[in-house]
Amino acid sequence: MRNLFSLLDEQSLEEDYLPTQAWSTIERLKGEKETLGLYFSGHPSLQYCEEFKSIIVPIQRLNPSQQKKAWVCGLIVSLKKIVTKRGKRLLILGLEDNTGKLDIVIFAEILEGKEQFIQPGMMMVVEG
């Protein structure tokens, strides 16, 4: 017969785990976003922002009164295609880095021939 304290036997607490390889950073971040709804231990844009740090501005530090043009780097999180009253196509792109989010409007003249390269989940460097 077992008593209440025999449930805490050390042998019953040991688990057998199979050794596995650690997840890549991107795989871990995708898992965090899927599970928690947010990136917890980093952001997919960090490695790209680090690489382009000499030319880009973090989204949080954008200030239109100080700069007329700026480069930003981020993850495409949303796309919205719009046709104007005049029949011209626009694309509203949701871009996110580790500091914030930004909506970018891309006009038809710039969009032409590049639409297949703009997909959610891709990284992008934009001048505007």
Side-chain angles (χ1 to χ4, degrees), residues 37-98:
L38 56 94
Y39 296 109
F40 184 71
S41 64
H43 194 276
S45 68
L46 281 175
Q47 72 182 48
Y48 298 96
C49 291
E50 181 63 30
E51 186 174 335
F52 296 112
K53 70 181 175 186
S54 63
I55 61 169
I56 65 162
V57 176
I59 291 173
Q60 185 180 29
R61 290 195 301 159
L62 285 174
N63 188 346
S65 64
Q66 290 181 348
Q67 304 161 308
K68 288 191 175 195
K69 284 190 176 185
W71 290 78
V72 294
C73 175
L75 178 70
I76 299 173
V77 292
S78 65
L79 292 174
K80 185 176 182 182
K81 296 178 183 181
I82 296 176
V83 178
T84 66
K85 291 179 183 177
R86 295 184 180 177
K88 297 213 176 201
R89 295 182 313 134
L90 294 176
L91 182 66
I92 299 176
L93 181 79
L95 198 70
E96 172 184 283
D97 71 4
N98 62 316

